[in-house]
Amino acid sequence: MSWHDRRHRTRTHLDVPVWDATLRGSWVVAPTVRADLTGGYAVQRPEFRRERHSGRWLGTGVTAALPWGFTIGGGAEVRWTDYERGWFPFVADGGPREDRTRSYRLSAYNRAVTVLGFSPELAVVRETRDSNAQLHDYSRTSGELRFVQQF
């Protein structure tokens, strides 16, 4: 669980306390395979009523340690975000905005390759948001370079 106070320099009407809770479970399927399941809930209530929303999410993933030092992983997540009313003209009847975001991630690194005890990990993420609010749909693919500490 977490709570933090988000502040904006120029858009103070979006200042908000952010509260969220996440529950994660992992299961070691085999000595070299781990499965994860995640779920959560979040709430943001800024002064600007239209931007108030709550969200929930579910995600799953698998990580496997392979021969020759390689570790690969993959995962998927779905997020549902519900906003308050007042989204005209983006929502035709001025009703609440409703988003659904899907994310897919593939990652890989080699445990034998280290830089000061960290292995570089490459990840590819595909994210798509479907919204009932015009102009708020998107699809994007991104890449990440992370460093994983070896234990």
Side-chain angles (χ1 to χ4, degrees):
M1 295 181 81
S2 71
W3 179 90
H4 63 274
D5 199 27
R6 180 179 295 154
R7 298 285 177 203
H8 297 264
R9 279 185 289 155
T10 59
R11 301 175 71 193
T12 58
H13 64 282
L14 295 177
D15 290 351
V16 60
V18 177
W19 177 88
D20 69 37
T22 302
L23 183 61
R24 176 182 301 243
S26 294
W27 178 43
V28 178
V29 179
T32 59
V33 179
R34 185 186 75 224
D36 299 302
L37 183 63
T38 304
Y41 181 78
V43 176
Q44 293 188 27
R45 298 283 181 238
E47 178 184 329
F48 192 43
R49 187 174 185 84
R50 187 178 85 170
E51 294 294 329
R52 294 178 183 178
H53 64 275
S54 62
R56 57 207 179 284
W57 60 90
L58 286 173
T60 185
V62 174
T63 304
L66 301 176
W68 302 293
F70 286 97
T71 298
I72 61 169
E77 181 179 83
V78 178
R79 290 182 173 263
W80 297 270
T81 307
D82 300 317
Y83 290 80
E84 292 199 13
R85 298 187 63 77
W87 277 87
F88 183 82
F90 299 105
V91 176
D93 65 355
R97 174 179 159 191
E98 298 170 352
D99 296 350
R100 184 177 73 183
T101 308
R102 295 178 310 279
S103 302
Y104 307 96
R105 173 185 304 275
L106 294 172
S107 62
Y109 69 95
N110 190 303
R111 299 178 305 277
V113 178
T114 61
V115 178
L116 300 173
F118 293 87
S119 292
E121 177 182 31
L122 295 175
V124 176
V125 180
R126 175 69 176 169
E127 187 173 270
T128 303
R129 180 169 68 194
D130 296 316
S131 178
N132 67 336
Q134 297 179 47
L135 305 175
H136 288 80
D137 292 340
Y138 68 82
S139 290
R140 64 180 166 214
T141 303
S142 60
E144 299 175 358
L145 173 61
R146 299 184 291 198
F147 291 90
V148 180
Q149 185 174 19
Q150 299 297 308
F151 291 97

